[in-house]
Amino acid sequence: MLDLKRQYQAIHKELLDALGQVLETQQFILGEHVAAFERGAAEQLGVRHVLGCSSGTDALWLALASAGIGPGMSVVTTPFSFFASVSCILRAGATPVLADIDPVTFNLSPTAVETVLNGPRGKGVRAVLPVHLYGHCADFSFFSGLGREQRLTIIEDAAQAWGAEWNGVKAGGLGDVAAFSFYPTKNLSAAGDAGLVTTNSDETAERVKMLRQHGMRRRYHHDEVGWNARMDDFQGAVLSVKLKYIGAWNEARRSVAARYHALFAKAGLAETGTYPAHGVVLPREMPGARHVWHQYVIRAPRRDVLREFLTSRKIGSEIYYPIPLHLQEALKGLGYAEGDFPEAERAAREVLALPIFPELRDDEQQTVVGAIAEFLS
Ligand SMILES: Cc1ncc(COP(=O)(O)O)c(C=O)c1O
């Protein structure tokens, strides 16, 4: 699915130098390497404030807590994402309210959100948390307007979307506050756990700074109950090095995606409908969006059997995500049942992520598509 060693081989000298510099300073937490990364990231994303933290999960919690989301409030989000998109809302003390996805982009559906806001669970909703799934921005023509018109805080889960854009604005600067993850499989990745909060609001940024260090504005004076959500300098140093390359890496991912499109079309496997019949449905880039292809996700008939076939050929594939969040054991308490989000449930049965990373070779992609063609024939 992903060969991180190819990336490491290309930049290992720079990485080792950067890690050595951290050791020279003996400043390991929120030191100068984290600060340098924050400056570089702010410039690249075009946002006013960028605050490093310990993981994408913590970044989501910091985003919610700094925006004042807490007990007695509800937050609308998607049932088709990584668990943290919902668990962070519970961790903030608020109630997650789910809305179904758009079957083409797999992102939160504007019409479903509107229906939910006008329904019984819509009362008490203070924020909406769209996820830019697979590296494709959620529909921010809708979400920006919704935030303004209904005075809702818009919180981006941009964990999978470094460099993605909506109408020329980068993820991280679309909503009121955003969270990124640098988990090692992400487009921009740390050498361990790390995350980031971005915002254009001075007030929110000041609260994130306070909350990521146990609610301290002054040393050992705790104004609020925050948490230890600090970024360490080894991660800051690694991320600063990779920040120089991420633009080119995302371009390379776009080429890999274009190559998959061409190969599937040439093999006569690409179908035009929303759901697969005999061939596969390819992922799309919507007008206004710039996709960064964190994942290349097709819809396939007999998905699980296809996946077994690919595994038998030693071809990696993955299912993001096999169980929608409303059907997770840990989230039973939200009171949803099977059938509540038919698009998310169908996606969970049909999606298959194929190998994609900047260094993936042409011949490897041909092998992947060739194997799928063989299976479907
Ligand atoms: C959509 C989404 N949200 C949140 C997270 C949580 O990030 P992390 O694993 O860095 O805590 C991830 C990554 O795993 C993710 O993909």
Side-chain angles (χ1 to χ4, degrees):
M1 264 309 267
L2 172 63
D3 185 357
L4 280 171
K5 285 186 182 160
R6 294 186 200 178
Q7 184 194 80
Y8 178 62
Q9 273 159 11
I11 57 167
H12 78 280
K13 281 207 179 65
E14 267 185 279
L15 287 175
L16 291 177
D17 269 4
L19 293 173
Q21 281 167 26
V22 176
L23 286 168
E24 291 297 328
T25 65
Q26 290 288 303
Q27 254 189 24
F28 296 114
I29 307 278
L30 292 180
E32 64 186 64
H33 288 86
V34 171
F37 170 62
E38 288 176 338
R39 283 194 300 276
E43 197 180 315
Q44 196 170 110
L45 295 177
V47 286
R48 203 168 148 78
H49 300 286
V50 155
L51 300 134
C53 66
S54 38
S55 71
T57 304
D58 285 334
L60 279 170
W61 172 75
L62 284 166
L64 286 157
S66 65
I69 305 299
M73 304 174 194
S74 301
V75 181
V76 178
T77 194
T78 165
F80 195 60
S81 180
F82 180 61
F83 186 69
S85 306
V86 166
S87 66
C88 67
I89 298 169
L90 292 165
R91 166 83 177 77
T95 305
V97 172
L98 304 179
D100 211 351
I101 56 165
D102 173 278
V104 176
T105 63
F106 303 103
N107 280 325
L108 202 47
S109 149
T111 32
V113 169
E114 267 175 347
T115 307
V116 163
L117 287 175
N118 293 324
R121 291 193 194 237
K123 279 201 204 88
V125 170
R126 292 290 177 80
V128 182
L129 194 154
V131 180
H132 305 314
L133 202 68
Y134 307 147
H136 188 293
C137 283
D139 180 350
F140 260 75
S141 304
F142 170 76
F143 289 110
S144 301
L146 184 75
R148 270 195 311 273
E149 283 153 27
Q150 307 217 13
R151 297 173 136 251
L152 295 170
T153 303
I154 308 294
I155 298 161
E156 296 170 68
D157 182 340
Q160 304 186 358
W162 188 276
E165 292 176 16
W166 186 264
N167 287 338
V169 179
K170 287 219 161 71
L174 290 162
D176 295 291
V177 56
F180 287 90
S181 163
F182 303 122
Y183 184 76
T185 59
K186 298 291 191 266
N187 290 27
L188 177 61
S189 61
D193 272 316
L196 191 79
V197 181
T198 62
T199 180
N200 285 312
S201 152
D202 296 348
E203 191 189 332
T204 303
E206 195 275 331
R207 285 185 53 74
V208 173
K209 271 189 197 160
M210 177 267 295
L211 289 167
R212 76 177 167 178
Q213 300 199 76
H214 281 299
M216 284 192 289
R217 288 190 172 86
R218 273 189 300 155
R219 205 164 165 75
Y220 302 131
H221 289 69
H222 302 271
D223 301 341
E224 284 181 44
V225 179
W227 209 246
N228 169 6
R230 304 175 297 228
M231 182 185 271
D232 80 68
D233 278 67
F234 284 123
Q235 305 312 333
V238 166
L239 287 163
S240 284
V241 170
K242 293 191 181 184
L243 203 53
K244 292 186 280 182
Y245 298 100
I246 183 63
W249 289 337
N250 277 345
E251 274 307 322
R253 282 176 184 268
R254 287 176 63 81
S255 301
V256 171
R259 226 152 51 205
Y260 267 134
H261 271 60
L263 287 168
F264 277 116
K266 199 169 147 204
L269 298 176
E271 291 186 348
T272 50
T274 306
Y275 312 107
H278 308 291
V280 299
V281 175
L282 303 181
R284 282 169 53 183
E285 182 178 54
M286 302 311 279
R290 184 174 183 277
H291 204 323
V292 289
W293 300 102
H294 174 56
Q295 299 297 343
Y296 187 91
V297 178
I298 61 170
R299 283 189 192 252
R302 296 184 293 137
R303 190 268 320 270
D304 293 332
V305 195
L306 168 60
R307 185 162 188 233
E308 275 171 32
F309 179 78
L310 293 177
T311 307
S312 75
R313 294 292 173 89
K314 296 196 164 34
I315 295 173
S317 64
E318 198 43 87
I319 299 167
Y320 306 109
Y321 296 90
I323 306 171
L325 295 173
H326 64 292
L327 302 180
Q328 292 287 350
E329 187 66 27
L331 300 175
K332 267 189 177 159
L334 298 182
Y336 292 108
E338 196 159 355
D340 283 348
F341 305 106
E343 293 297 352
E345 290 169 28
R346 180 160 192 169
R349 289 195 299 272
E350 291 181 346
V351 293
L352 189 64
L354 303 180
I356 190 165
F357 51 97
E359 302 82 6
L360 189 67
R361 295 192 313 265
D362 204 351
D363 62 301
E364 293 171 318
Q365 287 190 264
Q366 284 180 29
T367 305
V368 175
V369 177
I372 294 173
E374 188 185 333
F375 175 80
L376 291 175
S377 69

